[in-house]
Amino acid sequence: MAGVCMRKPVPLCPRPTRPPAADMAREHENLAQSQAVYLESALGFPSDLVIKQISDSICLAFLEPIVDAAALRESVLEPLCRLDSDADLDLATIGGQLPVASVEQGADLDAAIEGLLDGKVALMAKGCEAPFLLDLRARVARQIAAPISQPSVRGPRDSFTERLSDNLALIRQRVRNRDLRVWETVVGSETRTRVAICYIEGRASQDVVDTMKQRLSQIDMPHVLDSSDLLPYIAMRRWMLFPPAAATERADRAAAGILNGRIAVVCDNSPFILVIPVQLLTLFHASEDHYNLSIHSVLLRTVRAIGWFAATIAPGLYVGLASFNPGILPPNAIMTLAAARHGVPYPPIVEVLIMDIALEMLAEASARLPTYIGGAAMVVGGLVLGTAAAEARLVSTVMIVVVAVTAIGSFAMPDYQNELSWRAAKYLYTFFAAILGIYGLATAGLIMLVYLCSMDVLGVPYLSPFAPWRWTAMAKDTVIKVPAPLGVELEKVQRKEEAEGTADAGTIS
Amino acid sequence: MQEPYLSWPEAAWLIMQYTICANYLFVPQMLYLMAGRSSWIVPLIAVVPAVVGSWAVYRLHKLYPADRLGQFLPQIAGRALGVVMGLLYCLFWMGGAAINTMLFAHYVSATVLGFTPLAVHALVNAALAVMVTLYGLKTLVRFTDALLFPIGLFLVFVWIGAILNGRLDFSYLRPVRISELFKEPLNLVMAAISLYHGYFVILVAGPALNPPGRSAFAAASIGTLLAVPAFVSFVSYPVALFGWPMAADFTYPAGSFMEMLAPEVPNFPIRRFDFILTMFFRFIMVIASVTYFYSAAQTLSDLASPDAERIHPALTLAMGAVVAMSYLLLTDLHSVLVFARVWLAIGTVLTLATITLAIWGALAAARGGGGR
């Protein structure tokens, strides 16, 4: 397994050398002013940096776009104007006089710069070596809306946003457990992105929690713009075919994960929360499964399984049957297949590649186009391309059906990352079918199985509860989702097994 | 060392699959040659040495619960003898991997993929074994676990379905003549002693057992006993269906179980479903060839560097190349069967050696000079 290189966090990008405080004091009579000049020069005199002189001894600095202007006026400017300008300011005085959420004294001017970039207001006062930092952050964020990528017929409609505090609120509203823990860190030397993990102490495996904290603390990466950037560092694998975490924008799904002993990784600026560790089977479960009757859930999961099978196997099966093993079909089906392929100048593998690549292009195009055009483009592209290709005898009509089944099957998978993984795996099946027929399909299946068996996410087997066997988890919520009362009983058994070390944490979805 | 992760039911399932392996393809024919119609008795007789062998690996595991074969052999037998014995085990396991690989390659070539060169089959199977070995024992165990669901159902279907459809006439199995068992007594004894050798895997996977100790005996004995119905059915069903001596004329007597399972209706597409059967057989064969290969690679690696945490990739690749190249020697079924006889002889020697080692180790431990 290829590990991801972790190093200790490095300092921020090059910055001006800070002159000793004594030198600055000599240059400027007022220490507050000299600190303000330093901040300005360190940030490169940006146009949105505001330096506001309140009095001879007090000076404020802040980045205007990311500071709450109303709060600044009411909670800082007005109270400061009422203060005695000659009074010595300390942390207790400021904390008592200014009604802001958080006041701290930075360790040095570098800490003040980081605070400014974080949206804090730096308050520099006479006689103070380092500025005070007032938390008046303002965020540009959208309102909470219905999930776009994971819609459901039943279930709650709220989804995560780009604001970390909103996302934590959505989780806390659902998990009102005194053991819910939230641990936060900052990653990305240039983006300084806040990342929080949420878990229930005593339910999530402590080993998994410790490993997660350690890996997040060791991330050495300049840019963290989305939660997906964290995945290789959390999973400690550079190359992964399958997602090690379930990325969800549904608050109910994240909460369910936490309640089941998993960890939710909330990344600022990302509406997708990572639920980790995850098993492959969980990626085939939809939130709705928990809102429907058990029988209905079984039906829907079976349909999804068939869809997955079709999406992965269908092209390879076509190649295998048409190229190697037509004999396993009934005679009429052989005739139909032969008639459909009559006049097609390519071997089946070329047919499959042409149509598969066309399908991938259509899917990619429809994802990039605006919603109201995307659907139409998909239909028109599919119909025109398919019909024209069949009429021109570039591909057989059976191939059109195969491609359609593949597309529908892949779209039936509820997790997008998982769908992409199996879309990629499909080519392995097709390749092996092209060299060994149906027997090759079985071989490709074994290769995929070995790969999946080798995967661990934070020490939890990816194919659990099927490999290794975890019978309680298997009985509770795999293909069959047992009714809630029975599920509660099975969950108790599983908690006991986890405590005894005979089950993996978080194998219940 | 990693935390133990192998429960005894998982180990038993691994041993069962490892024991069955591709033996279903050649053991029936080999036993028919040795013992004729009465050959179905042999898998039952072979249970006795298998239970003794299971006890032997349990004793060795109990003496060295944290060590694998390549690590504890030099401690029992001394460095030189330990290495020689270890190499003999490696030879046996590599032979098992090669037999499984090539036997199945010939079978597939004869049944469904006649135009594909044998080298391709050998290469694909060897590559799979190398892949699993590089990932390690944990992956092998999970891989075997995952295959429980298709293989388990399939085996139950084969055993019970064939009986229920009423086409088997078990009177063909009678009479059992003791004289038939003495046609080739030495070969038959060797076959009986080494027929169930799946419990050898404990010698390599023992440190992963959770809990260690008695679970080794439970896994070894139950895994072996679970394999008995498979062997008895593979040997006896063809005779019960086709009669004697017709069953002995088939190249792969147990290779077409669908003949037994197919309903008696016109135009039932036997060949169509035989294909599916081949896929299931493949799953079993893969577990065996991979386990043989892993055992050989791990033991050789342990002999070379006992403290290494992982099997060396270059060594694994080189051994994989050897298995893939075996198609040059095992060119047809006859050559595989000839080699299998030699291989069974090595297996017999190793079974007896394992029992001797266990007794030796137990005595040394009693004197306070061995074990950990």
PDB file of all heavy atoms in Angstrom, chain A residues 162-193:
ATOM      1  N   GLU A 162     -21.690  25.767   2.709  1.00  0.00           N
ATOM      2  CA  GLU A 162     -20.240  25.945   2.706  1.00  0.00           C
ATOM      3  C   GLU A 162     -19.732  26.459   4.047  1.00  0.00           C
ATOM      4  O   GLU A 162     -18.530  26.615   4.228  1.00  0.00           O
ATOM      5  CB  GLU A 162     -19.833  26.917   1.592  1.00  0.00           C
ATOM      6  CG  GLU A 162     -19.907  26.348   0.185  1.00  0.00           C
ATOM      7  CD  GLU A 162     -21.326  26.220  -0.344  1.00  0.00           C
ATOM      8  OE1 GLU A 162     -22.261  26.739   0.311  1.00  0.00           O
ATOM      9  OE2 GLU A 162     -21.514  25.585  -1.393  1.00  0.00           O
ATOM     10  N   ARG A 163     -20.641  26.775   4.971  1.00  0.00           N
ATOM     11  CA  ARG A 163     -20.204  27.357   6.240  1.00  0.00           C
ATOM     12  C   ARG A 163     -20.117  26.284   7.318  1.00  0.00           C
ATOM     13  O   ARG A 163     -21.095  25.602   7.630  1.00  0.00           O
ATOM     14  CB  ARG A 163     -21.184  28.455   6.663  1.00  0.00           C
ATOM     15  CG  ARG A 163     -20.696  29.225   7.871  1.00  0.00           C
ATOM     16  CD  ARG A 163     -21.195  30.620   7.890  1.00  0.00           C
ATOM     17  NE  ARG A 163     -22.651  30.728   7.827  1.00  0.00           N
ATOM     18  CZ  ARG A 163     -23.305  31.882   7.737  1.00  0.00           C
ATOM     19  NH1 ARG A 163     -22.625  33.000   7.672  1.00  0.00           N
ATOM     20  NH2 ARG A 163     -24.602  31.900   7.700  1.00  0.00           N
ATOM     21  N   LEU A 164     -18.950  26.185   7.902  1.00  0.00           N
ATOM     22  CA  LEU A 164     -18.689  25.132   8.884  1.00  0.00           C
ATOM     23  C   LEU A 164     -19.647  25.231  10.073  1.00  0.00           C
ATOM     24  O   LEU A 164     -20.188  24.227  10.533  1.00  0.00           O
ATOM     25  CB  LEU A 164     -17.237  25.236   9.358  1.00  0.00           C
ATOM     26  CG  LEU A 164     -16.770  24.124  10.292  1.00  0.00           C
ATOM     27  CD1 LEU A 164     -15.441  23.564   9.813  1.00  0.00           C
ATOM     28  CD2 LEU A 164     -16.596  24.599  11.716  1.00  0.00           C
ATOM     29  N   SER A 165     -19.885  26.453  10.548  1.00  0.00           N
ATOM     30  CA  SER A 165     -20.740  26.589  11.735  1.00  0.00           C
ATOM     31  C   SER A 165     -22.179  26.156  11.434  1.00  0.00           C
ATOM     32  O   SER A 165     -22.836  25.533  12.275  1.00  0.00           O
ATOM     33  CB  SER A 165     -20.707  28.027  12.242  1.00  0.00           C
ATOM     34  OG  SER A 165     -21.086  28.897  11.210  1.00  0.00           O
ATOM     35  N   ASP A 166     -22.657  26.466  10.228  1.00  0.00           N
ATOM     36  CA  ASP A 166     -24.002  26.005   9.842  1.00  0.00           C
ATOM     37  C   ASP A 166     -24.068  24.483   9.835  1.00  0.00           C
ATOM     38  O   ASP A 166     -25.041  23.872  10.283  1.00  0.00           O
ATOM     39  CB  ASP A 166     -24.360  26.512   8.445  1.00  0.00           C
ATOM     40  CG  ASP A 166     -24.699  27.986   8.449  1.00  0.00           C
ATOM     41  OD1 ASP A 166     -24.780  28.568   9.551  1.00  0.00           O
ATOM     42  OD2 ASP A 166     -24.855  28.561   7.356  1.00  0.00           O
ATOM     43  N   ASN A 167     -23.009  23.893   9.303  1.00  0.00           N
ATOM     44  CA  ASN A 167     -22.986  22.428   9.180  1.00  0.00           C
ATOM     45  C   ASN A 167     -22.940  21.760  10.554  1.00  0.00           C
ATOM     46  O   ASN A 167     -23.611  20.758  10.791  1.00  0.00           O
ATOM     47  CB  ASN A 167     -21.800  21.993   8.333  1.00  0.00           C
ATOM     48  CG  ASN A 167     -21.907  22.502   6.908  1.00  0.00           C
ATOM     49  OD1 ASN A 167     -22.984  22.940   6.491  1.00  0.00           O
ATOM     50  ND2 ASN A 167     -20.826  22.476   6.173  1.00  0.00           N
ATOM     51  N   LEU A 168     -22.154  22.363  11.444  1.00  0.00           N
ATOM     52  CA  LEU A 168     -22.108  21.808  12.803  1.00  0.00           C
ATOM     53  C   LEU A 168     -23.476  21.971  13.480  1.00  0.00           C
ATOM     54  O   LEU A 168     -23.912  21.091  14.234  1.00  0.00           O
ATOM     55  CB  LEU A 168     -21.028  22.515  13.625  1.00  0.00           C
ATOM     56  CG  LEU A 168     -19.578  22.202  13.220  1.00  0.00           C
ATOM     57  CD1 LEU A 168     -18.603  23.001  14.078  1.00  0.00           C
ATOM     58  CD2 LEU A 168     -19.282  20.717  13.345  1.00  0.00           C
ATOM     59  N   ALA A 169     -24.136  23.092  13.186  1.00  0.00           N
ATOM     60  CA  ALA A 169     -25.464  23.305  13.768  1.00  0.00           C
ATOM     61  C   ALA A 169     -26.445  22.244  13.285  1.00  0.00           C
ATOM     62  O   ALA A 169     -27.242  21.707  14.066  1.00  0.00           O
ATOM     63  CB  ALA A 169     -25.969  24.694  13.403  1.00  0.00           C
ATOM     64  N   LEU A 170     -26.381  21.921  11.994  1.00  0.00           N
ATOM     65  CA  LEU A 170     -27.287  20.892  11.448  1.00  0.00           C
ATOM     66  C   LEU A 170     -27.045  19.536  12.111  1.00  0.00           C
ATOM     67  O   LEU A 170     -27.978  18.764  12.327  1.00  0.00           O
ATOM     68  CB  LEU A 170     -27.091  20.769   9.931  1.00  0.00           C
ATOM     69  CG  LEU A 170     -27.652  21.917   9.102  1.00  0.00           C
ATOM     70  CD1 LEU A 170     -27.226  21.793   7.644  1.00  0.00           C
ATOM     71  CD2 LEU A 170     -29.173  21.948   9.192  1.00  0.00           C
ATOM     72  N   ILE A 171     -25.787  19.265  12.415  1.00  0.00           N
ATOM     73  CA  ILE A 171     -25.478  18.000  13.087  1.00  0.00           C
ATOM     74  C   ILE A 171     -25.954  18.036  14.533  1.00  0.00           C
ATOM     75  O   ILE A 171     -26.610  17.116  15.021  1.00  0.00           O
ATOM     76  CB  ILE A 171     -23.963  17.709  13.011  1.00  0.00           C
ATOM     77  CG1 ILE A 171     -23.573  17.387  11.574  1.00  0.00           C
ATOM     78  CG2 ILE A 171     -23.567  16.553  13.925  1.00  0.00           C
ATOM     79  CD1 ILE A 171     -22.085  17.273  11.336  1.00  0.00           C
ATOM     80  N   ARG A 172     -25.653  19.134  15.208  1.00  0.00           N
ATOM     81  CA  ARG A 172     -26.029  19.231  16.628  1.00  0.00           C
ATOM     82  C   ARG A 172     -27.550  19.212  16.818  1.00  0.00           C
ATOM     83  O   ARG A 172     -28.038  18.732  17.834  1.00  0.00           O
ATOM     84  CB  ARG A 172     -25.450  20.512  17.233  1.00  0.00           C
ATOM     85  CG  ARG A 172     -23.981  20.374  17.605  1.00  0.00           C
ATOM     86  CD  ARG A 172     -23.667  21.113  18.882  1.00  0.00           C
ATOM     87  NE  ARG A 172     -22.278  20.954  19.289  1.00  0.00           N
ATOM     88  CZ  ARG A 172     -21.872  20.066  20.170  1.00  0.00           C
ATOM     89  NH1 ARG A 172     -22.717  19.242  20.739  1.00  0.00           N
ATOM     90  NH2 ARG A 172     -20.603  20.001  20.506  1.00  0.00           N
ATOM     91  N   GLN A 173     -28.269  19.756  15.828  1.00  0.00           N
ATOM     92  CA  GLN A 173     -29.735  19.726  15.935  1.00  0.00           C
ATOM     93  C   GLN A 173     -30.271  18.301  15.920  1.00  0.00           C
ATOM     94  O   GLN A 173     -31.346  18.023  16.439  1.00  0.00           O
ATOM     95  CB  GLN A 173     -30.355  20.494  14.765  1.00  0.00           C
ATOM     96  CG  GLN A 173     -30.340  21.996  14.964  1.00  0.00           C
ATOM     97  CD  GLN A 173     -30.805  22.726  13.729  1.00  0.00           C
ATOM     98  OE1 GLN A 173     -31.465  22.148  12.875  1.00  0.00           O
ATOM     99  NE2 GLN A 173     -30.460  23.989  13.637  1.00  0.00           N
ATOM    100  N   ARG A 174     -29.525  17.420  15.299  1.00  0.00           N
ATOM    101  CA  ARG A 174     -29.997  16.036  15.190  1.00  0.00           C
ATOM    102  C   ARG A 174     -29.416  15.127  16.269  1.00  0.00           C
ATOM    103  O   ARG A 174     -30.062  14.186  16.685  1.00  0.00           O
ATOM    104  CB  ARG A 174     -29.621  15.469  13.810  1.00  0.00           C
ATOM    105  CG  ARG A 174     -30.494  16.009  12.711  1.00  0.00           C
ATOM    106  CD  ARG A 174     -30.032  15.523  11.354  1.00  0.00           C
ATOM    107  NE  ARG A 174     -31.048  15.796  10.360  1.00  0.00           N
ATOM    108  CZ  ARG A 174     -31.228  16.975   9.791  1.00  0.00           C
ATOM    109  NH1 ARG A 174     -30.463  18.000  10.150  1.00  0.00           N
ATOM    110  NH2 ARG A 174     -32.190  17.151   8.904  1.00  0.00           N
ATOM    111  N   VAL A 175     -28.180  15.395  16.643  1.00  0.00           N
ATOM    112  CA  VAL A 175     -27.528  14.527  17.632  1.00  0.00           C
ATOM    113  C   VAL A 175     -27.416  15.310  18.934  1.00  0.00           C
ATOM    114  O   VAL A 175     -26.450  16.028  19.161  1.00  0.00           O
ATOM    115  CB  VAL A 175     -26.137  14.081  17.125  1.00  0.00           C
ATOM    116  CG1 VAL A 175     -25.524  13.066  18.089  1.00  0.00           C
ATOM    117  CG2 VAL A 175     -26.224  13.490  15.738  1.00  0.00           C
ATOM    118  N   ARG A 176     -28.422  15.189  19.765  1.00  0.00           N
ATOM    119  CA  ARG A 176     -28.386  15.918  21.038  1.00  0.00           C
ATOM    120  C   ARG A 176     -27.883  14.975  22.134  1.00  0.00           C
ATOM    121  O   ARG A 176     -28.600  14.640  23.058  1.00  0.00           O
ATOM    122  CB  ARG A 176     -29.767  16.459  21.356  1.00  0.00           C
ATOM    123  CG  ARG A 176     -30.157  17.518  20.338  1.00  0.00           C
ATOM    124  CD  ARG A 176     -31.532  18.036  20.503  1.00  0.00           C
ATOM    125  NE  ARG A 176     -31.871  18.904  19.378  1.00  0.00           N
ATOM    126  CZ  ARG A 176     -33.065  19.392  19.156  1.00  0.00           C
ATOM    127  NH1 ARG A 176     -34.047  19.105  19.971  1.00  0.00           N
ATOM    128  NH2 ARG A 176     -33.291  20.164  18.117  1.00  0.00           N
ATOM    129  N   ASN A 177     -26.679  14.555  21.928  1.00  0.00           N
ATOM    130  CA  ASN A 177     -26.071  13.581  22.820  1.00  0.00           C
ATOM    131  C   ASN A 177     -24.923  14.269  23.555  1.00  0.00           C
ATOM    132  O   ASN A 177     -24.094  14.929  22.928  1.00  0.00           O
ATOM    133  CB  ASN A 177     -25.557  12.394  21.969  1.00  0.00           C
ATOM    134  CG  ASN A 177     -25.009  11.269  22.802  1.00  0.00           C
ATOM    135  OD1 ASN A 177     -24.409  11.495  23.844  1.00  0.00           O
ATOM    136  ND2 ASN A 177     -25.206  10.050  22.343  1.00  0.00           N
ATOM    137  N   ARG A 178     -24.889  14.106  24.870  1.00  0.00           N
ATOM    138  CA  ARG A 178     -23.842  14.795  25.629  1.00  0.00           C
ATOM    139  C   ARG A 178     -22.458  14.265  25.308  1.00  0.00           C
ATOM    140  O   ARG A 178     -21.455  14.887  25.615  1.00  0.00           O
ATOM    141  CB  ARG A 178     -24.110  14.687  27.129  1.00  0.00           C
ATOM    142  CG  ARG A 178     -23.986  13.269  27.660  1.00  0.00           C
ATOM    143  CD  ARG A 178     -24.012  13.238  29.154  1.00  0.00           C
ATOM    144  NE  ARG A 178     -25.304  13.686  29.672  1.00  0.00           N
ATOM    145  CZ  ARG A 178     -25.563  13.871  30.953  1.00  0.00           C
ATOM    146  NH1 ARG A 178     -24.609  13.671  31.842  1.00  0.00           N
ATOM    147  NH2 ARG A 178     -26.751  14.240  31.365  1.00  0.00           N
ATOM    148  N   ASP A 179     -22.401  13.079  24.680  1.00  0.00           N
ATOM    149  CA  ASP A 179     -21.097  12.521  24.327  1.00  0.00           C
ATOM    150  C   ASP A 179     -20.640  12.933  22.929  1.00  0.00           C
ATOM    151  O   ASP A 179     -19.597  12.456  22.465  1.00  0.00           O
ATOM    152  CB  ASP A 179     -21.140  10.990  24.419  1.00  0.00           C
ATOM    153  CG  ASP A 179     -21.306  10.518  25.857  1.00  0.00           C
ATOM    154  OD1 ASP A 179     -20.765  11.206  26.750  1.00  0.00           O
ATOM    155  OD2 ASP A 179     -21.994   9.507  26.085  1.00  0.00           O
ATOM    156  N   LEU A 180     -21.433  13.759  22.272  1.00  0.00           N
ATOM    157  CA  LEU A 180     -21.009  14.226  20.944  1.00  0.00           C
ATOM    158  C   LEU A 180     -19.793  15.131  21.123  1.00  0.00           C
ATOM    159  O   LEU A 180     -19.834  16.104  21.869  1.00  0.00           O
ATOM    160  CB  LEU A 180     -22.138  14.992  20.250  1.00  0.00           C
ATOM    161  CG  LEU A 180     -21.771  15.569  18.876  1.00  0.00           C
ATOM    162  CD1 LEU A 180     -21.560  14.462  17.853  1.00  0.00           C
ATOM    163  CD2 LEU A 180     -22.858  16.516  18.381  1.00  0.00           C
ATOM    164  N   ARG A 181     -18.730  14.796  20.447  1.00  0.00           N
ATOM    165  CA  ARG A 181     -17.501  15.583  20.548  1.00  0.00           C
ATOM    166  C   ARG A 181     -17.214  16.248  19.205  1.00  0.00           C
ATOM    167  O   ARG A 181     -17.414  15.638  18.146  1.00  0.00           O
ATOM    168  CB  ARG A 181     -16.315  14.687  20.909  1.00  0.00           C
ATOM    169  CG  ARG A 181     -16.474  13.946  22.220  1.00  0.00           C
ATOM    170  CD  ARG A 181     -16.254  14.853  23.422  1.00  0.00           C
ATOM    171  NE  ARG A 181     -16.478  14.132  24.645  1.00  0.00           N
ATOM    172  CZ  ARG A 181     -17.647  14.100  25.304  1.00  0.00           C
ATOM    173  NH1 ARG A 181     -18.691  14.765  24.849  1.00  0.00           N
ATOM    174  NH2 ARG A 181     -17.771  13.416  26.425  1.00  0.00           N
ATOM    175  N   VAL A 182     -16.756  17.491  19.296  1.00  0.00           N
ATOM    176  CA  VAL A 182     -16.344  18.213  18.096  1.00  0.00           C
ATOM    177  C   VAL A 182     -14.908  18.659  18.314  1.00  0.00           C
ATOM    178  O   VAL A 182     -14.614  19.337  19.302  1.00  0.00           O
ATOM    179  CB  VAL A 182     -17.247  19.429  17.829  1.00  0.00           C
ATOM    180  CG1 VAL A 182     -16.767  20.183  16.592  1.00  0.00           C
ATOM    181  CG2 VAL A 182     -18.692  18.987  17.640  1.00  0.00           C
ATOM    182  N   TRP A 183     -14.046  18.234  17.438  1.00  0.00           N
ATOM    183  CA  TRP A 183     -12.617  18.577  17.542  1.00  0.00           C
ATOM    184  C   TRP A 183     -12.244  19.296  16.266  1.00  0.00           C
ATOM    185  O   TRP A 183     -12.577  18.859  15.170  1.00  0.00           O
ATOM    186  CB  TRP A 183     -11.822  17.292  17.715  1.00  0.00           C
ATOM    187  CG  TRP A 183     -10.327  17.470  17.777  1.00  0.00           C
ATOM    188  CD1 TRP A 183      -9.581  17.728  18.876  1.00  0.00           C
ATOM    189  CD2 TRP A 183      -9.399  17.366  16.682  1.00  0.00           C
ATOM    190  NE1 TRP A 183      -8.249  17.802  18.543  1.00  0.00           N
ATOM    191  CE2 TRP A 183      -8.113  17.583  17.200  1.00  0.00           C
ATOM    192  CE3 TRP A 183      -9.528  17.125  15.322  1.00  0.00           C
ATOM    193  CZ2 TRP A 183      -6.968  17.563  16.410  1.00  0.00           C
ATOM    194  CZ3 TRP A 183      -8.396  17.098  14.526  1.00  0.00           C
ATOM    195  CH2 TRP A 183      -7.130  17.305  15.074  1.00  0.00           C
ATOM    196  N   GLU A 184     -11.557  20.425  16.413  1.00  0.00           N
ATOM    197  CA  GLU A 184     -11.295  21.250  15.232  1.00  0.00           C
ATOM    198  C   GLU A 184      -9.810  21.472  15.051  1.00  0.00           C
ATOM    199  O   GLU A 184      -9.055  21.567  16.022  1.00  0.00           O
ATOM    200  CB  GLU A 184     -12.011  22.593  15.387  1.00  0.00           C
ATOM    201  CG  GLU A 184     -12.046  23.395  14.099  1.00  0.00           C
ATOM    202  CD  GLU A 184     -12.831  24.696  14.235  1.00  0.00           C
ATOM    203  OE1 GLU A 184     -13.923  24.667  14.827  1.00  0.00           O
ATOM    204  OE2 GLU A 184     -12.351  25.726  13.752  1.00  0.00           O
ATOM    205  N   THR A 185      -9.412  21.569  13.813  1.00  0.00           N
ATOM    206  CA  THR A 185      -8.025  21.898  13.494  1.00  0.00           C
ATOM    207  C   THR A 185      -8.011  22.754  12.234  1.00  0.00           C
ATOM    208  O   THR A 185      -9.055  22.968  11.608  1.00  0.00           O
ATOM    209  CB  THR A 185      -7.187  20.616  13.302  1.00  0.00           C
ATOM    210  OG1 THR A 185      -5.821  20.973  13.176  1.00  0.00           O
ATOM    211  CG2 THR A 185      -7.622  19.833  12.076  1.00  0.00           C
ATOM    212  N   VAL A 186      -6.844  23.259  11.919  1.00  0.00           N
ATOM    213  CA  VAL A 186      -6.705  24.082  10.713  1.00  0.00           C
ATOM    214  C   VAL A 186      -5.710  23.381   9.799  1.00  0.00           C
ATOM    215  O   VAL A 186      -4.632  22.980  10.241  1.00  0.00           O
ATOM    216  CB  VAL A 186      -6.196  25.497  11.075  1.00  0.00           C
ATOM    217  CG1 VAL A 186      -5.911  26.295   9.809  1.00  0.00           C
ATOM    218  CG2 VAL A 186      -7.218  26.215  11.933  1.00  0.00           C
ATOM    219  N   VAL A 187      -6.088  23.209   8.536  1.00  0.00           N
ATOM    220  CA  VAL A 187      -5.193  22.543   7.578  1.00  0.00           C
ATOM    221  C   VAL A 187      -5.016  23.431   6.345  1.00  0.00           C
ATOM    222  O   VAL A 187      -5.861  24.284   6.051  1.00  0.00           O
ATOM    223  CB  VAL A 187      -5.739  21.155   7.146  1.00  0.00           C
ATOM    224  CG1 VAL A 187      -5.781  20.188   8.303  1.00  0.00           C
ATOM    225  CG2 VAL A 187      -7.108  21.286   6.518  1.00  0.00           C
ATOM    226  N   GLY A 188      -3.916  23.185   5.659  1.00  0.00           N
ATOM    227  CA  GLY A 188      -3.631  23.974   4.457  1.00  0.00           C
ATOM    228  C   GLY A 188      -2.844  25.221   4.818  1.00  0.00           C
ATOM    229  O   GLY A 188      -3.385  26.135   5.420  1.00  0.00           O
ATOM    230  N   SER A 189      -1.567  25.223   4.470  1.00  0.00           N
ATOM    231  CA  SER A 189      -0.731  26.342   4.899  1.00  0.00           C
ATOM    232  C   SER A 189      -1.138  27.646   4.232  1.00  0.00           C
ATOM    233  O   SER A 189      -0.887  28.715   4.774  1.00  0.00           O
ATOM    234  CB  SER A 189       0.738  26.016   4.611  1.00  0.00           C
ATOM    235  OG  SER A 189       0.887  25.665   3.256  1.00  0.00           O
ATOM    236  N   GLU A 190      -1.756  27.588   3.064  1.00  0.00           N
ATOM    237  CA  GLU A 190      -2.134  28.826   2.380  1.00  0.00           C
ATOM    238  C   GLU A 190      -3.624  29.131   2.495  1.00  0.00           C
ATOM    239  O   GLU A 190      -4.025  30.297   2.381  1.00  0.00           O
ATOM    240  CB  GLU A 190      -1.732  28.739   0.907  1.00  0.00           C
ATOM    241  CG  GLU A 190      -0.228  28.783   0.730  1.00  0.00           C
ATOM    242  CD  GLU A 190       0.194  28.626  -0.716  1.00  0.00           C
ATOM    243  OE1 GLU A 190      -0.622  28.914  -1.604  1.00  0.00           O
ATOM    244  OE2 GLU A 190       1.335  28.203  -0.938  1.00  0.00           O
ATOM    245  N   THR A 191      -4.424  28.111   2.665  1.00  0.00           N
ATOM    246  CA  THR A 191      -5.874  28.364   2.774  1.00  0.00           C
ATOM    247  C   THR A 191      -6.332  28.428   4.223  1.00  0.00           C
ATOM    248  O   THR A 191      -7.379  28.985   4.510  1.00  0.00           O
ATOM    249  CB  THR A 191      -6.673  27.250   2.065  1.00  0.00           C
ATOM    250  OG1 THR A 191      -6.250  25.984   2.585  1.00  0.00           O
ATOM    251  CG2 THR A 191      -6.476  27.280   0.567  1.00  0.00           C
ATOM    252  N   ARG A 192      -5.547  27.851   5.109  1.00  0.00           N
ATOM    253  CA  ARG A 192      -5.882  27.811   6.535  1.00  0.00           C
ATOM    254  C   ARG A 192      -7.352  27.434   6.740  1.00  0.00           C
ATOM    255  O   ARG A 192      -8.146  28.174   7.327  1.00  0.00           O
ATOM    256  CB  ARG A 192      -5.552  29.140   7.208  1.00  0.00           C
ATOM    257  CG  ARG A 192      -4.055  29.448   7.160  1.00  0.00           C
ATOM    258  CD  ARG A 192      -3.608  30.446   8.188  1.00  0.00           C
ATOM    259  NE  ARG A 192      -4.025  30.138   9.531  1.00  0.00           N
ATOM    260  CZ  ARG A 192      -3.477  29.200  10.299  1.00  0.00           C
ATOM    261  NH1 ARG A 192      -2.486  28.470   9.848  1.00  0.00           N
ATOM    262  NH2 ARG A 192      -3.920  28.985  11.527  1.00  0.00           N
ATOM    263  N   THR A 193      -7.693  26.298   6.207  1.00  0.00           N
ATOM    264  CA  THR A 193      -9.083  25.827   6.229  1.00  0.00           C
ATOM    265  C   THR A 193      -9.399  25.164   7.556  1.00  0.00           C
ATOM    266  O   THR A 193      -8.627  24.320   8.027  1.00  0.00           O
ATOM    267  CB  THR A 193      -9.299  24.816   5.092  1.00  0.00           C
ATOM    268  OG1 THR A 193      -8.817  25.397   3.883  1.00  0.00           O
ATOM    269  CG2 THR A 193     -10.761  24.460   4.938  1.00  0.00           C
TER     270      THR A 193
END
